[in-house]
Amino acid sequence: LQELQSSGRGRFLLEHAAPFSAFLTDSFGRQHNYLRISLTEKCNLRCQYCMPEEGVQLTPKSELLTAQEIITLARLFVKEGVEKIRLTGGEPLIRPDVVDIVGQLYKLEGLKTIAVTTNGINLARLLPRLKEAGLNAINISLDTLVPAKFEFIVRRKGFHKVMEGIHKATELGYRPVKVNCVVMRGFNEDELLGFVDFTKDLPLDVRFIEYMPFDGNKWNFKKMVSYKEMLDTIKQRWPELEKLPCETSSTAKSYKVPHFQGQISFITSMSEHFCGSCNRLRITADGNLKVCLFGNSEVSLRDHLRSGASEEELVQVIGAAVGRKKKQHAGMFNISQMKNRPMILIGGLSLAFQLLRCILMSGFFFPPEPELMSLPLCQDALQNPPNSKQWGHWLTLRASCCVFQKHPSSKFDTKCLEASPFDQVSVDCQPKAASPESKFCNRDSGSRTEVPRASDKLTHTDEEGRATMVDVGGKPDSRRSAVAAAVVRLGEKAFGMVRQNQVKKGDVLAVAQIAGIQGAKLTSQLIPLCHNIPLNHVEVSLSLDEARYAVVIHSSCQTWGRTGVEMEALTAASLAALTVYDMCKAVTHDIVIEEVKLLSKTGGQRGDFSR
């Protein structure tokens, strides 16, 4: 209000404010003065976080609203009392005429706020022109602060472009710059404190959004992290967290760490819905009016507009739709069973919505820490997501990870992902030198195969020949290690694409490394008679062998326990190899996985082994 009073345009709007329209007031007395307009269904990211598994059928361009139709409808809503318009998508900033649309909206008398919600990829480039055109509020969707995780989720580079957009917005004077983060259990709730710390030196409002159900995202309560749970986690680190006052119609509960420039907010759409003060309406890119985000009831304003409906007739149509708006969540008691558009066709963004689907589409799903969870390798795993501790061991790659690090002895450029201390991974284009810890063996080193003392019978069968698990309860604890290897022959074309990181599914070497590490952890779930072993260390290394057009995989596992880890090492090498195959099979099916073998093992009653 103070900002409006201090500007000439603001004083004019306040002095000439008209009585609020009855057509935008529903049967519960809620006045709808906030309109969200989707400019496009398309997006320049490919994570499919808000799409059904089978994808979405994009509306033909001829059926989407034109710029003039958008302005016509916006003018009508503003005339009836709308004071704020937010432009959404898909990704609104990929629409070529977005700057012109903002400029025309700014000319509408009575419109106080023009906002945009964006994934931030194009923001830094367009923001100076958008600001000049009249854009005065920005929401940027960002669900992770880890560059490697961002790229892994969306299968596109761009994290640094998003960060550049955030900093550009603060430089141009936007206060605050809102950052939307959808929190999902097991995916990014371990980054809550990092996002809060993000507000320390920047004028940001990081908004933690409770995960909501939409068609195709297989929502369930296990994935949702409630506002109170998030708040408790943050207060453990910052007990001095202060609650801030908020407006009646605000969807956010806002807090601030004293002396931080920015603040945080919680959008409690599920645990504490704000339907009673809802003032929002939505127009989809194909011109349908949605009075509730959770409802599937829509009215085509485009069809009425193109059939020559008068302004008065359009107002009557809008008023009837608003009048039918339910008290809360479209009148449904069980919103998880609702039928609705996929999120991308409504106009909302968030990278975390379908992180798990992205991983499944990459060809593997290996939840770590098998002693904590048993999940099948199938889509049903979406219904039972692993928790943060599980995913956090591997997916929370450090923000300091190196990109395009070149090995001193290699002529190839490749990516290097630095994982957590529990799961060391590396990528080289030449075989790594042997280290005391990994005990990688060079197969050309001339070392002979030493055969340890063997058992005179199969240990995994009983006297009647039935399968049985070996009882290791009486064995002493000792240090155990194992090293295994595998080779994937790709052929010249696929090898070249892997080497240049041009495979459409993503970074083959990085994904295969992660798969191998998770495979080691999941061994007891895949191999029926294997014991569940707490691994102290897992290392997976992939190198490129140009002479054979092959990826050479080495895996090393260590533990302190009563049984060995050769099966974990073999599983790691095998699953890394299978992942390479899966990611390259679109290029060629003439791929051979070979030389899956144990290279060495130490510890145990039967002694050491080296090939």
Side-chain angles (χ1 to χ4, degrees):
L1 185 60
Q2 291 175 347
E3 291 178 1
L4 285 172
Q5 290 173 338
S6 64
S7 67
R9 174 180 168 85
R11 284 194 299 271
F12 174 84
L13 295 177
L14 290 173
E15 292 170 3
H16 294 80
F20 199 84
S21 169
F23 292 100
L24 297 186
T25 303
D26 66 17
S27 59
F28 300 95
R30 294 172 295 198
Q31 296 180 340
H32 297 79
N33 61 354
Y34 179 7
L35 178 65
R36 299 171 66 99
I37 303 176
S38 173
L39 297 186
T40 179
E41 297 173 348
K42 295 181 180 179
C43 184
N44 51 355
L45 298 179
R46 289 294 180 271
C47 60
Q48 298 194 19
Y49 55 85
C50 56
M51 297 184 187
E53 292 171 28
E54 65 275 11
V56 295
Q57 184 68 42
L58 293 176
T59 304
K61 184 177 180 180
S62 62
E63 296 178 18
L64 299 176
L65 291 177
T66 65
Q68 188 54 50
E69 288 171 334
I70 290 171
I71 299 304
T72 297
L73 290 174
R75 181 181 296 111
L76 181 60
F77 277 90
V78 171
K79 184 177 179 180
E80 293 298 319
V82 164
E83 299 174 328
K84 178 178 180 178
I85 290 179
R86 177 175 298 280
L87 302 178
T88 68
E91 170 49 42
L93 298 192
I94 66 173
R95 180 156 172 156
D97 54 0
V98 62
V99 175
D100 294 334
I101 290 174
V102 170
Q104 292 185 61
L105 290 175
Y106 186 73
K107 298 175 183 178
L108 300 180
E109 294 185 2
L111 185 59
K112 298 177 182 178
T113 303
I114 305 171
V116 68
T117 295
T118 172
N119 61 25
I121 299 294
N122 294 337
L123 186 60
R125 175 172 59 86
L126 292 175
L127 192 53
R129 293 168 56 203
L130 288 167
K131 181 177 175 62
E132 184 178 355
L135 185 73
N136 47 25
I138 301 172
N139 286 45
I140 302 169
S141 295
L142 180 66
D143 299 319
T144 178
L145 295 174
V146 182
K149 185 194 285 190
F150 178 96
E151 183 176 336
F152 186 73
I153 295 169
V154 306
R155 296 196 186 91
R156 293 289 187 276
K157 302 182 190 304
F159 176 83
H160 298 292
K161 289 185 178 180
V162 179
M163 296 302 292
E164 182 184 357
I166 291 174
H167 287 282
K168 175 65 72 174
T170 61
E171 290 172 11
L172 292 178
Y174 286 93
R175 297 291 188 276
V177 176
K178 294 182 178 180
V179 177
N180 293 345
C181 175
V182 176
V183 181
M184 290 183 66
R185 189 177 310 283
F187 298 153
N188 63 344
E189 88 274 33
D190 56 337
E191 293 193 59
L192 285 170
L193 302 184
F195 271 103
V196 176
D197 197 55
F198 195 26
T199 69
K200 183 176 182 179
D201 300 315
L202 291 172
L204 307 178
D205 180 3
V206 174
R207 294 146 57 90
F208 298 115
I209 303 172
E210 291 179 342
Y211 178 50
M212 297 179 290
F214 291 92
D215 260 16
N217 69 5
K218 292 197 166 46
W219 181 93
N220 65 42
F221 278 108
K222 292 181 181 179
K223 295 182 185 180
M224 191 194 79
V225 183
S226 71
Y227 145 64
K228 289 185 177 179
E229 182 179 345
M230 289 187 273
L231 185 61
D232 287 343
T233 299
I234 294 169
K235 280 189 172 181
Q236 289 179 22
R237 171 64 177 82
W238 289 283
E240 69 275 24
L241 192 70
E242 299 175 350
K243 194 173 191 314
L244 302 176
C246 62
E247 298 178 3
T248 304
S249 61
S250 175
T251 61
K253 294 176 172 63
S254 300
Y255 292 80
K256 182 180 178 68
V257 178
H259 311 301
F260 277 25
Q261 282 196 43
Q263 64 184 54
I264 62 172
S265 300
F266 300 92
I267 311 298
T268 62
S269 49
M270 298 303 298
S271 63
E272 298 181 17
H273 69 78
F274 32 79
C275 299
S277 59
C278 180
N279 65 339
R280 291 156 175 75
L281 299 172
R282 288 171 170 80
I283 297 179
T284 62
D286 56 355
N288 284 3
L289 174 65
K290 288 181 69 72
V291 297
C292 179
L293 177 62
F294 287 93
N296 62 353
S297 177
E298 301 179 358
V299 176
S300 177
L301 301 182
R302 177 204 63 202
D303 290 349
H304 286 282
L305 197 61
R306 293 182 181 180
S307 65
S310 65
E311 181 176 303
E312 182 179 349
E313 290 171 332
L314 283 170
V315 169
Q316 292 290 341
V317 170
I318 294 168
V322 172
R324 291 191 296 269
K325 185 170 182 176
K326 305 299 182 182
K327 185 175 182 180
Q328 66 185 54
H329 286 167
M332 285 174 284
F333 293 101
N334 185 2
I335 60 173
S336 64
Q337 302 299 320
M338 73 178 188
K339 189 69 177 174
N340 195 3
R341 285 190 183 215
M343 188 63 170
I344 196 167
L345 300 185
I346 295 175
L349 293 169
S350 175
L351 301 183
F353 269 17
Q354 281 309 331
L355 171 55
L356 183 53
R357 177 172 294 107
C358 295
I359 297 167
L360 286 168
M361 291 185 67
S362 294
F364 70 94
F365 175 64
F366 306 119
E369 303 298 339
E371 67 271 22
L372 298 179
M373 177 172 288
S374 173
L375 289 179
L377 299 178
C378 65
Q379 297 292 338
D380 291 341
L382 283 164
Q383 299 294 343
N384 299 283
N387 60 34
S388 178
K389 178 182 177 183
Q390 295 172 302
W391 281 103
H393 280 327
W394 68 277
L395 194 51
T396 310
L397 305 175
R398 297 178 188 272
S400 61
C401 70
C402 57
V403 178
F404 293 110
Q405 175 173 319
K406 192 172 184 179
H407 190 273
S409 63
S410 172
K411 64 182 180 180
F412 303 131
D413 285 331
T414 184
K415 291 185 178 180
C416 171
L417 300 181
E418 179 187 36
S420 68
F422 300 99
D423 309 319
Q424 297 298 330
V425 298
S426 60
V427 177
D428 295 326
C429 286
Q430 297 292 337
K432 291 183 66 176
S435 66
E437 275 199 88
S438 64
K439 295 184 173 59
F440 282 163
C441 301
N442 189 330
R443 70 187 192 92
D444 298 320
S445 63
S447 61
R448 64 187 180 88
T449 299
E450 299 177 1
V451 181
R453 296 184 300 275
S455 171
D456 58 359
K457 66 175 183 178
L458 296 175
T459 58
H460 287 77
T461 58
D462 61 17
E463 294 179 354
E464 298 180 4
R466 292 174 301 193
T468 183
M469 180 178 283
V470 175
D471 184 359
V472 298
K475 292 184 178 182
D477 288 335
S478 64
R479 182 179 179 83
R480 314 287 188 117
S481 68
V483 179
V487 175
V488 186
R489 292 181 180 265
L490 297 173
E492 184 175 3
K493 181 179 179 182
F495 179 85
M497 294 179 70
V498 171
R499 184 178 64 188
Q500 300 298 327
N501 193 21
Q502 294 178 342
V503 177
K504 289 184 178 180
K505 281 192 173 183
D507 189 329
V508 173
L509 301 182
V511 175
Q513 285 180 309
I514 296 171
I517 291 171
Q518 303 322 304
K521 294 180 177 181
L522 199 60
T523 299
S524 65
Q525 302 297 316
L526 298 175
I527 313 298
L529 301 183
C530 283
H531 292 82
N532 195 345
I533 300 175
L535 296 173
N536 297 335
H537 179 77
V538 179
E539 183 174 344
V540 176
S541 175
L542 291 90
S543 60
L544 298 179
D545 183 343
E546 189 170 18
R548 293 188 289 175
Y549 298 124
V551 176
V552 180
I553 301 165
H554 287 87
S555 61
S556 171
C557 296
Q558 295 178 12
T559 189
W560 179 269
R562 298 175 178 179
T563 187
V565 290
E566 55 263 43
M567 290 306 301
E568 282 69 19
L570 284 164
T571 303
S574 300
L575 290 178
L578 287 170
T579 302
V580 172
Y581 181 98
D582 175 69
M583 298 189 72
C584 297
K585 69 180 187 290
V587 180
T588 176
H589 283 93
D590 189 15
I591 301 173
V592 178
I593 298 176
E594 60 186 15
E595 298 185 42
V596 179
K597 58 190 176 185
L598 182 70
L599 297 181
S600 67
K601 69 171 284 291
T602 63
Q605 296 179 351
R606 284 186 288 276
D608 297 347
F609 167 84
S610 64
R611 189 179 296 278

